[in-house]
Amino acid sequence: MGLKLMYITNDPEVAKIAEVSGVDRIFVDMEYIGKADRQGGMDTVQSHHTIEDIQVIRKVVQKADLFVRVNPIHDATVEYSSSAEEIEKSIQAGADILMLPYFKTVKEVQRFIELVDGRAKTSLLLETPEAVEVIDDILKIKGIDEIHIGLNDLSLGYGMKFMFEPLVDGTVEKLCLKFKLSGIPYGFGGIAALGTGTLPAENILIEHYRMGSTCVILSRSFCNTSKITNLDEIQNIFNEGVKAIREKEQEVEPIVQYFRENEQLVREKVKLISDRISYRE
């Protein structure tokens, strides 16, 4: 089974094009609290979508999941409503999956799970060094449906120069192993269209398969609708781009399956041998 592809948009026409092309999740991004401060000066996506955007996208999305990123856990102020109200309204507007970004503590995750209360699936965006430090305790919380590693903010948190550095220093791999052993589906980062990207998208895609990832975000550069506005051109980009990803997955899958089967065989044989060995007194 292929990776679940996610694309961020609040444009209903683009959302429908993405869905028809095979994108699995339409991503409405309401996060803005604190984001500009920590990503100030960087060329990153800061969407600031709204509850009304969720309602609009809900009307056009039929097959894909409606995925909504809310703000980090927060109290109400004169500028914005509380997390409780934001999550409640998101669920009422039709969100299938809610994502909590930029958490640092076990308490924040627990609060998020409590507020959702099983009414939507939950996804954690792990993107702070503080959260990495307490991830073992976070994984003990019941009600986490999946986890996504946010490479951009995580690399910033570690003072790194390039967002994909956590992918090669062992950070992502260690986290993925913890998620795997906990039985929680996981993904990380985003990819551009195949054949593009400072770090080629093909190489990133293969890493997803090697580490057992189940989902990835299609980056802004996959189809930058702030620069490309013609719907026919957008449709062609999505059709060709998603097709290329699926074809690459078909190429990679047999290789990955070989290692999966060998891993399972080793597990079975180790258990069989272990069962046969008498414990020494």
Side-chain angles (χ1 to χ4, degrees):
M1 184 173 178
L3 292 169
K4 292 184 184 298
L5 303 179
M6 303 185 280
Y7 183 73
I8 299 174
T9 185
N10 67 338
D11 185 319
E13 292 181 305
V14 174
K16 193 61 183 176
I17 288 172
E19 179 184 47
V20 172
S21 74
V23 172
D24 303 283
R25 295 172 171 178
I26 305 303
F27 193 141
V28 174
D29 185 11
M30 299 202 302
E31 183 193 8
Y32 72 97
I33 297 175
K35 196 168 186 177
D37 292 334
R38 67 178 187 266
Q39 295 184 357
M42 298 185 67
D43 184 24
T44 55
V45 178
Q46 296 180 23
S47 303
H48 200 165
H49 294 164
T50 65
I51 296 295
E52 288 71 27
D53 290 321
I54 302 175
Q55 295 169 333
V56 169
I57 298 300
R58 178 74 282 169
K59 293 177 181 178
V60 301
V61 169
Q62 298 177 349
K63 185 178 179 181
D65 289 322
L66 179 46
F67 189 100
V68 178
R69 175 161 59 189
V70 296
N71 281 288
I73 294 296
H74 61 278
D75 295 321
T77 71
V78 294
E79 297 178 352
Y80 42 76
S81 60
S82 67
S83 285
E85 184 176 348
E86 182 180 65
I87 288 172
E88 182 66 32
K89 288 184 176 180
S90 297
I91 294 171
Q92 293 301 319
D96 295 308
I97 306 169
L98 291 180
M99 169 179 270
L100 175 68
Y102 212 71
F103 56 90
K104 297 182 177 182
T105 67
V106 176
K107 185 178 180 180
E108 288 171 294
V109 175
Q110 186 66 61
R111 179 61 174 156
F112 173 66
I113 298 298
E114 290 172 354
L115 290 173
V116 176
D117 194 26
R119 295 173 296 164
K121 290 187 177 179
T122 59
S123 176
L124 303 182
L125 183 57
L126 177 59
E127 53 184 345
T128 68
E130 292 89 344
V132 173
E133 289 299 312
V134 295
I135 190 60
D136 290 335
D137 291 325
I138 288 173
L139 292 175
K140 296 174 184 177
I141 298 173
K142 302 297 182 183
I144 301 171
D145 291 307
E146 65 179 46
I147 299 178
H148 197 86
I149 302 171
L151 298 180
N152 189 55
D153 274 315
L154 189 60
S155 63
L156 287 175
Y158 284 124
M160 296 175 176
K161 297 179 180 179
F162 183 44
M163 66 179 293
F164 285 105
E165 287 185 66
L167 193 60
V168 298
D169 73 352
T171 300
V172 171
E173 191 150 12
K174 289 176 183 176
L175 288 169
C176 287
L177 180 57
K178 288 178 181 290
F179 305 154
K180 180 179 179 180
L181 293 175
S182 297
I184 298 175
Y186 52 89
F188 58 85
I191 56 170
L194 297 193
T196 67
T198 305
L199 176 63
E202 293 88 336
N203 298 127
I204 301 171
L205 184 66
I206 293 171
E207 283 294 276
H208 275 270
Y209 267 77
R210 184 179 71 83
M211 287 191 268
S213 170
T214 61
C215 60
V216 65
I217 299 170
L218 298 177
S219 67
R220 178 177 56 179
S221 62
F222 179 88
C223 183
N224 191 342
T225 55
S226 65
K227 295 181 178 180
I228 303 169
T229 57
N230 182 277
L231 292 178
D232 289 334
E233 185 176 357
I234 291 172
Q235 184 172 25
N236 183 63
I237 290 172
F238 270 98
N239 288 342
E240 294 300 317
V242 172
K243 179 183 176 183
I245 289 173
R246 297 311 186 198
E247 288 177 348
K248 186 65 177 180
E249 287 181 316
Q250 290 178 6
E251 176 187 326
V252 174
E253 177 60 32
I255 302 171
V256 175
Q257 186 60 31
Y258 172 81
F259 286 103
R260 288 174 183 159
E261 291 174 355
N262 185 71
E263 179 185 19
Q264 182 60 33
L265 184 62
V266 170
R267 287 178 180 274
E268 292 173 356
K269 289 188 174 183
V270 166
K271 185 178 185 306
L272 183 63
I273 295 169
S274 179
D275 290 344
R276 288 177 177 175
I277 297 176
S278 298
Y279 287 100
R280 297 181 179 178
E281 295 295 336

